[in-house]
Amino acid sequence: MPAEPTPDPTRADALQSLLHEVAPVWNRQIDWAQSHSAEAVSAVLHQFSLIRDELLRFGLPAAPARAALDQVLQELQYQDRVTQMLKTVQDDIARLADAAQDPASLPNSAQWLQRLEAAYVMHDQHSAHRGQSQDRNGLDDLTEF
Amino acid sequence: MAKTILVIDDSASLRQVVRLALEGAGYTVLEAGDGEAALKLLDGRPINMAVCDVNMPKLDGIGFVKAAKQVQAYRFMPILMLTTESSDAKKEAGKAAGAKAWMLKPFSPQSLLAAVQKFCP
């Protein structure tokens, strides 16, 4: 059985230093994207509520129009899902930066990915992890206790 | 008199969506950004039902349900968990804590309204 490769201390230091510098930039990029998309969605929702109120002043819209309004409200919730997915990735970047401090005890990729997958809360995250297409069935599923 | 629904979610946009869905049907909506802030609102004011996210900072949704059940005036308040969390273990934890139902996001406003009307007609 081949011996485990010994980490090259020079390269390990370089990787550690690189991650120390780069990980915060990744984080800032993700934070910026999340913050601005949240603000944009909030502004859209505000405008949407004004338009809807105006429509309702003239009476209840016809069924197709009501369905379209509901669809808008449902689609706008995807920003929240994206935020949650990015947060998990952000946490994993931080974990990588921490792990790089001690390259000798780095887990293998299978262990790393197993722990990442254990942090998922949504079907979408599992699908994305495995490179599968997103399944949008079963949404707004209600379970009564 | 309009029924009051307490909406607990750390996402402001999600709270806005729930508010839009419920206010259109005549409900009054109170908002809290996490379980801890929501508990502070259980101060004797009339709240007929709570719609609660699961993963939140400070105090999560399951923690909120457990704590709310300890507050005498609100122990029978129905609580609907509204979450992206789809694991069966979490659902079981919600049930054990005393939640009435579990709905996955993203939800259609009509489905949410139907669920709220069921527990809080």
Side-chain angles (χ1 to χ4, degrees):
Chain A
M1 190 166 166
E4 286 281 317
T6 313
D8 175 345
T10 319
R11 293 190 66 186
D13 283 351
L15 177 64
Q16 192 179 321
S17 170
L18 186 69
L19 274 171
H20 184 72
E21 297 295 325
V22 174
V25 176
W26 286 338
N27 271 325
R28 285 200 295 274
Q29 294 280 350
I30 293 172
D31 280 341
W32 189 93
Q34 286 178 327
S35 159
H36 284 70
S37 69
E39 281 172 23
V41 168
S42 191
V44 169
L45 279 166
H46 177 67
Q47 295 301 323
F48 174 88
S49 70
L50 298 178
I51 293 166
R52 198 187 66 157
D53 290 349
E54 199 61 27
L55 280 173
L56 289 173
R57 278 183 53 212
F58 299 104
L60 202 60
R66 286 204 307 274
L69 293 173
D70 278 1
Q71 187 68 28
V72 171
L73 286 180
Q74 189 159 350
E75 295 295 338
L76 284 170
Q77 294 168 53
Y78 277 93
Q79 184 269 334
D80 182 54
R81 288 170 89 78
V82 171
T83 295
Q84 287 192 42
M85 291 174 84
L86 287 178
K87 175 75 173 70
T88 307
V89 174
Q90 218 171 5
D91 289 346
D92 210 49
I93 290 170
R95 184 162 69 100
L96 182 62
D98 284 347
Q101 303 292 321
D102 185 10
S105 59
L106 272 175
N108 64 37
S109 59
Q111 291 167 327
W112 187 278
L113 290 171
Q114 194 176 24
R115 188 165 153 194
L116 173 61
E117 196 162 16
Y120 299 156
V121 300
M122 296 182 278
H123 287 310
D124 290 356
Q125 289 173 303
H126 291 285
S127 301
H129 185 104
R130 294 171 192 150
Q132 296 165 341
S133 60
Q134 307 292 300
D135 179 10
R136 294 178 70 170
N137 293 325
L139 300 178
D140 85 9
D141 167 48
L142 177 72
T143 307
E144 287 183 47
F145 302 135
Chain B
M1 190 176 160
K3 300 272 176 79
T4 300
I5 313 293
L6 172 58
V7 178
I8 311 150
D9 200 306
D10 56 336
S11 161
S13 62
L14 249 297
R15 295 198 306 270
Q16 272 178 286
V17 173
V18 176
R19 178 182 282 279
L20 281 166
L22 299 183
E23 281 186 343
Y27 289 99
T28 298
V29 171
L30 262 181
E31 291 184 28
D34 58 65
E36 203 174 281
L39 274 181
K40 287 181 184 158
L41 295 173
L42 304 186
D43 56 3
R45 75 185 78 200
I47 298 174
N48 303 94
M49 181 176 175
V51 174
C52 186
D53 187 17
V54 172
N55 297 304
M56 292 183 290
K58 295 182 186 171
L59 180 63
D60 70 8
I62 306 289
F64 168 77
V65 177
K66 286 179 184 166
K69 295 290 166 192
Q70 302 302 313
V71 183
Q72 183 68 18
Y74 299 93
R75 67 196 165 112
F76 297 120
M77 174 179 71
I79 302 175
L80 166 70
M81 308 310 289
L82 184 63
T83 176
T84 52
E85 177 71 66
S86 55
S87 88
D88 289 338
K90 281 277 184 180
K91 262 190 201 178
E92 279 305 312
K95 181 183 176 182
K100 276 280 186 195
W102 192 277
M103 181 177 264
L104 286 182
K105 296 174 189 168
F107 57 90
S108 77
Q110 276 184 332
S111 301
L112 176 68
L113 186 57
V116 168
Q117 284 171 332
K118 187 165 196 170
F119 298 114
C120 185

